Amino acid sequence: MAAAAPPPPPAPAPITLPEPTPSGHTLFTRIRLATAEDVPHIHKLIHQMAVFERLTDLFQATPAALSATLFPPNAPPPFTSFTVFLLELCTSPFPPSQNPHFTPRLKSLHLDLPIHDPEKEAFRSNASDANDDVIVGGFVLFFPNYSTFLAKPGFYIEDIFVRECYRRKGLGKMLLSAVAAQAAKMGYGRVEWVVLDWNVNAIKFYEQMGAQILPEWRICRLTGEALRAHAHVNL
C-alpha cells in the first residue's frame, strides 16, 4: 500500500506593510476670503507685484485707499463686487472654518526641503484663527464682468501673485483654479485676465491651465489727465 502524501505546507501568513508616509516636509495651504484686517498684507503683495512687473512708477495704492475701496462700510457680498482670495501657508494643518459665502480651500503639499521665507515675520497672517506659523503667500483679486455674446456674467482677474519664495510649487494654479471653480459654481461664462507679453513663464503656465491667449486683442485704457478731461466735455 502506497504511503499517504504528506500534508501541504502551511500558507505563509500575510504580511501587512505600513502605509507609506511622504518623505520630506509637508506644507499646508488655505485659500480664504480676505477681510479688512488683511489690507496691510494685500498692500505689500501689490507692491511686490509692481516690482516684479517693473511697474513701480505706476504704483500709487495706499493701505487706506485699498481699505476704503475693497472693504467699504456696508460692502456688497463677495463675488458681486471686488473680491480677494488670500493664500496662506502653515507647517501644521489649518483648523476647520466656515464662511457663509465661501468655504476655504485646503490642500497639503509634500516638499523635499523646507521653504526659507526671508519675510516670514512681515507676512504673518492676521486671520482670527491663525497661529504664529501661518504666513500669507499670495493673493488674487477679481470682480464680475459681462459677456454680451454669451449673455452671461463672468469674472475678470485684475491681479494674481505669489511671493517669490513660494513660486513653482503649484500655488498660483491653486489660486487661479479657486476663481475658476467659483465661476463655474455660479454658472458664469468665462474668466479673463491679461498677461505681460515678456512673461513667457506665465503665458506657458496659463496655456497649461487651459487658457486661450488672444494676441489679436489690445488693451485700451483711459487714466489720469486723459480720463479727467472727459469730466469737462460738453456732449
Side-chain angles (χ1 to χ4, degrees):
M1 180 177 181
I15 300 175
T16 303
L17 298 175
E19 290 291 328
T21 56
S23 60
H25 300 263
T26 301
L27 184 66
F28 297 90
T29 70
R30 176 171 72 177
I31 294 175
R32 64 168 175 85
L33 283 170
T35 67
E37 287 71 29
D38 299 308
V39 165
H41 290 326
I42 295 172
H43 180 258
K44 287 181 286 190
L45 290 167
I46 296 173
H47 182 263
Q48 288 192 357
M49 182 178 62
V51 172
F52 173 76
E53 294 182 344
R54 310 167 195 171
L55 297 172
T56 52
D57 57 312
L58 302 179
F59 181 76
Q60 301 178 18
T62 64
L66 290 172
S67 182
T69 51
L70 295 179
F71 305 101
N74 303 314
F79 312 121
T80 63
S81 182
F82 312 119
T83 302
V84 178
F85 282 158
L86 211 63
L87 168 69
E88 294 177 320
L89 311 115
C90 189
T91 55
S92 58
F94 285 92
S97 60
Q98 292 293 328
N99 183 291
H101 302 288
F102 179 76
T103 300
R105 295 167 67 98
L106 307 176
K107 187 176 181 179
S108 58
L109 304 177
H110 303 295
L111 310 173
D112 293 332
L113 297 171
I115 296 175
H116 173 64
D117 184 350
E119 299 178 294
K120 184 176 182 178
E121 295 298 326
F123 280 95
R124 289 194 186 278
S125 174
N126 294 324
S128 59
D129 63 346
N131 60 40
D132 289 341
D133 291 330
V134 178
I135 306 300
V136 174
F139 82 111
V140 57
L141 189 155
F142 58 101
F143 49 86
N145 61 4
Y146 191 83
S147 168
T148 53
F149 284 14
L150 297 178
K152 287 185 176 184
F155 283 139
Y156 181 83
I157 295 177
E158 176 67 20
D159 290 322
I160 182 170
F161 181 75
V162 174
R163 292 171 51 216
E164 185 175 4
C165 61
Y166 295 108
R167 292 176 196 157
R168 292 171 291 279
K169 304 291 188 296
L171 300 173
K173 181 178 180 180
M174 290 168 54
L175 281 169
L176 183 57
S177 180
V179 179
Q182 186 65 31
K185 179 181 178 181
M186 297 174 69
Y188 284 8
R190 60 173 60 151
V191 175
E192 293 183 311
W193 63 96
V194 299
V195 60
L196 292 165
D197 58 1
W198 57 259
N199 196 344
V200 294
N201 289 333
I203 292 172
K204 182 179 179 181
F205 162 67
Y206 294 143
E207 289 177 331
Q208 291 173 342
M209 289 284 293
Q212 293 177 298
I213 309 298
L214 306 175
E216 66 274 19
W217 290 83
R218 295 291 184 270
I219 297 173
C220 301
R221 176 180 295 162
L222 272 174
T223 188
E225 289 299 325
L227 175 63
R228 287 187 286 273
H230 286 269
H232 309 292
V233 173
N234 188 9
L235 298 178

